[in-house]
Structure formats: C-alpha cells, structure tokens
Amino acid sequence: MNSTPVAPNPAEDFEVHPLSGAAARPARQLSGPLAPEAAATLDAQVRAVDLRVPLLEKNDLLAERNRGYFLGRGLATLNLVSSPGAGKTTLLERTLDEFGRQTRCAVVVGDLETDNDGLRLHRPHAPVAQITTGGTCHLDAAMIARGVESLDLAGVKVLFIENVGNLVCPASFDLGEQVRVVLLSTTEGEDKPLKYPPIFKSAHLVLLTKVDVADALGFKRDVAVANIRRIAPQARIIQLSSRSGEGLPEWYDFLRGLAPAAKA
Amino acid sequence: MHEVGIMESAIDAVLRQARAHSARRVHRIVLRIGALAGVEPDGLRFAFDVVTRGTLAAGAALEIEAVPARAYCAACDADFPVDGGFIARCPTCSALSADLRSGRELELSRIEMT
C-alpha cells in the first residue's frame, strides 16, 4: 500500500489583478464558485491510496477462521447450494437417517424465515441449528460461526451447511467449507448451469437430484451433465434420487472419502 | 441483491482507510471486478448510492474497472483469454479448463480523498 499526493504543491502566494478592485486574499477565503486557484489548492490535498483489498475481506477472514476451526476439529464441512426446491432438505433427511447412523453428522440450515427445515431435519442423533436470515439472500461466514457455536459437536465428523435456496448470491460468500456442493434437480432445466454459471463454476461436487422422475419430465440427463462439464470441468457429478435411493451409495462413499476423520 | 452486502463491506474498508488518513471526504473510489465474479456492476452502482449516504464517501465517484477472465491450459502450458462467458475452452486444443488465472476479482483498488 502506498500513498502519494496526486498534484504537486501549488505556489503559496498568487496575485489578484488590481483592476478587479478586489483586495488580495488567499484563495481559501473565497466564497461562491471556486476560483481556479482555489480548486488547485483543493487538488493539492487530494491523496490517492492504491491498494488491493478484497471487497469481502471481512467475510473472507471469518471464513478462513471457520475453516481452521473445522480442520482442527477434524470436521468435514459441506456447503449445499441450490435453487429453492431442488431437494437439499430431503437429501439431508435421508442422509441423516442412513449415513448419519454410522457417522455422526450435524446440520446448520439457513432460510429467510421459519424453522420448518430445522424441524424436518431434527433427529436425536444429529444436532441441528436453524439460522433465519431475516431476508438476507445467503448465509455468510459470521452466521456459520454463530450457528456452529450453538451445536454440540462432540463426536461429529461431518457438518452439512444447507444454504438459503438461491442460485446466485451464495456463490460470492465463502463460509469456510471444505466442499461446495451444488444441487440441480430434474424439475429444473438442463440448461440451468449455463444460465447460472457462477455458482456451478465454484462447485466441487454437483448433485443431479430427483433422477427417478427424469424420464417422466422429459429431462435429458446427458445434456445436463454435458452442460455441467462445460461450466465446471473440475466438479465431480453424482446422479441420485433421495426417494428411490439411486445414487445414494455413491454420495455416501463421497462423504466417507472426504476426510480420514469422517470414516465411520 | 448480494451487491448491497458486497458494497457495504467495500465501504467499510473505504471508511477505515479514510479515517486512517484523517480524510474529511472521499472523492473517488476504484473497484476491480472480474468478468466471472458473478457480481453486476449496475447492482454495485445502485448499492453504492444507498450505502454511502451520510458517510464521508457520499457523493464520491465510483469507477468500476472490469478485469477480463483468463484461464490456463495444462496441455498447452499457456494462458488464454476466456471469451465464451463462463466456459473456458482452450483456443489451441479445445480442452476445457477449470484453472482460472483471473476474472474472479472483487477488489478495492484505489481511494482518492482529501
């Protein structure tokens, strides 16, 4: 970071032409529209600071703090993002009932209002914290830090963060997660990755959900997969259905493989 | 409208700098926004007016410098400009790349103040 004056110092003194009848005064005492001399004096005080500060510095720092905390506890952390209704909560319900029986899991779930999802996910064997954002369209790292504080993480190996249903805003906010999971359901269009590319671009894993009804909907899985690949060649893709159970073993294998600590 | 949240965070940083320099007014702010940052410059401009109201930065000029996206192709060992939106395809070998070298910037790069 360096700071440099923009303009050189102007001469301290200047002259007012006596023909105008005005008394000679320093420019800073002039009122009304600025005389050119006065503007020059103002310019001289302008300081320019060049820097490279991330606009989301505060969130980024908190996210790193969260990441360190999760790592230190041996927690595998996943941030689940999708449009509303893509099946995040349903997938987590079944995951807690099956995978969660062998490996202790916890959930932080965010919504604009209501604790409906928190209640749906509530299980004696899995601590759940509900965050209501009161209108904010995404979870941020500070909300996660507070949400996690309220959880009993003893023995927990996998922490799921169910983000607010929104395919745009959560893309910009790092929560400190290890894995960003984007869900795309067959009730949406095959071209959604092309229409909402930032979130897919940042995905480590894309889950194509509700594949049991793909045929009935005329949803072309191969087209959707090709579109995901174009935007996010780095992402692993798992096709699954939380209802029929198709693809769930692959999802559970993925969870087991995340961190040695997460192994059942 | 996460642009409002992003701009609030940006103005926080601007005002911190302004106070550190004992500035009375902020005249100009320059942001660098990557083509693939997923943030709308128009949304930022709208948020800027709202967020700066009543602060040292009220009335300041907001300049947004667009940073073009570049990706790296491992097969060709070369950088290339990403001009197909979010699809980074190497112009030489047509391979898709996930290795963005620029284009995700969301940065405050310059403040002018008195």
Side-chain angles (χ1 to χ4, degrees):
Chain A
M1 193 189 311
N2 52 47
S3 71
T4 43
V6 187
N9 285 327
E12 280 298 358
D13 303 312
F14 58 92
E15 291 179 5
V16 176
H17 205 284
L19 282 182
S20 70
R25 278 184 183 161
R28 53 185 68 82
Q29 289 180 22
L30 293 176
S31 60
L34 284 181
E37 295 87 349
T41 308
L42 249 185
D43 263 358
Q45 298 169 343
V46 172
R47 293 166 66 80
V49 181
D50 289 312
L51 62 179
R52 293 190 78 166
V53 178
L55 294 191
L56 290 172
E57 187 180 33
K58 221 186 242 174
N59 186 75
D60 291 350
L61 289 173
L62 270 173
E64 287 308 332
R65 198 172 80 174
N66 287 349
R67 205 177 334 270
Y69 176 78
F70 298 146
L71 261 174
R73 289 198 70 113
L75 265 179
T77 310
L78 300 94
N79 179 9
L80 276 68
V81 194
S82 77
S83 328
K88 294 184 295 299
T89 311
T90 306
L91 174 66
L92 286 183
E93 281 180 290
R94 183 139 181 193
T95 302
L96 293 180
D97 287 341
E98 296 179 351
F99 177 81
R101 298 250 173 234
Q102 290 100 47
T103 305
R104 199 165 168 81
C105 301
V107 184
V108 175
V109 52
D111 279 298
L112 300 191
E113 295 290 347
T114 84
D115 57 358
N116 291 353
D117 280 1
L119 294 174
R120 272 177 66 186
L121 291 167
H122 186 261
R123 304 281 187 283
H125 62 277
V128 176
Q130 171 85 50
I131 296 172
T132 49
T133 64
T136 302
C137 50
H138 57 266
L139 291 175
D140 65 30
M143 296 178 194
I144 297 306
R146 262 180 283 135
V148 166
E149 242 171 50
S150 72
L151 288 174
D152 174 13
L153 290 178
V156 171
K157 300 292 182 200
V158 179
L159 172 68
F160 296 104
I161 300 168
E162 182 183 334
N163 216 312
V164 176
N166 181 332
L167 215 45
V168 182
C169 308
S172 301
F173 292 85
D174 184 5
L175 304 180
E177 74 266 24
Q178 181 185 354
V179 180
R180 187 172 288 189
V181 186
V182 180
L183 286 76
L184 169 66
S185 76
T186 57
T187 54
E188 305 171 62
E190 295 97 342
D191 58 351
K192 217 141 203 198
L194 306 179
K195 287 178 173 168
Y196 296 84
I199 199 94
F200 286 92
K201 194 94 202 151
S202 68
H204 300 102
L205 170 67
V206 177
L207 300 178
L208 190 56
T209 62
K210 308 187 191 179
V211 291
D212 55 319
V213 292
D215 289 345
L217 293 164
F219 182 92
K220 298 179 197 69
R221 293 196 202 190
D222 53 337
V223 174
V225 167
N227 286 339
I228 295 164
R229 287 251 170 278
R230 286 165 76 192
I231 300 294
Q234 78 284 354
R236 173 151 174 206
I237 302 173
I238 298 177
Q239 304 189 31
L240 55 78
S241 162
S242 304
R243 199 163 63 172
S244 73
E246 179 185 343
L248 289 181
E250 198 182 343
W251 161 240
Y252 299 151
D253 278 346
F254 176 86
L255 294 176
R256 267 179 223 112
L258 270 188
K263 282 187 181 133
Chain B
M1 272 305 283
H2 61 307
E3 279 81 1
V4 175
I6 290 172
M7 196 43 97
E8 276 172 349
S9 182
I11 295 306
D12 271 357
V14 167
L15 296 177
R16 249 197 326 273
Q17 287 291 330
R19 278 191 294 272
H21 288 83
S22 310
R24 282 172 292 122
R25 238 193 103 197
V26 176
H27 297 276
R28 190 159 159 269
I29 296 166
V30 183
L31 307 182
R32 296 178 79 237
I33 306 293
L36 306 185
V39 170
E40 270 308 305
D42 282 346
L44 288 177
R45 286 202 183 86
F46 169 80
F48 181 75
D49 293 339
V50 178
V51 169
T52 54
R53 207 166 283 164
T55 73
L56 294 181
L62 174 67
E63 191 178 307
I64 296 179
E65 188 186 314
V67 184
R70 292 188 72 82
Y72 173 75
C73 176
C76 302
D77 188 25
D79 273 18
F80 62 92
V82 181
D83 43 23
F86 279 78
I87 300 166
R89 194 182 286 282
C90 174
T92 311
C93 73
S94 293
L96 288 164
S97 167
D99 191 352
L100 280 184
R101 292 297 162 96
S102 72
R104 282 199 163 139
E105 293 77 1
L106 266 181
E107 283 175 4
L108 169 61
S109 70
R110 189 179 176 88
I111 307 171
E112 293 177 12
M113 53 202 158
T114 48

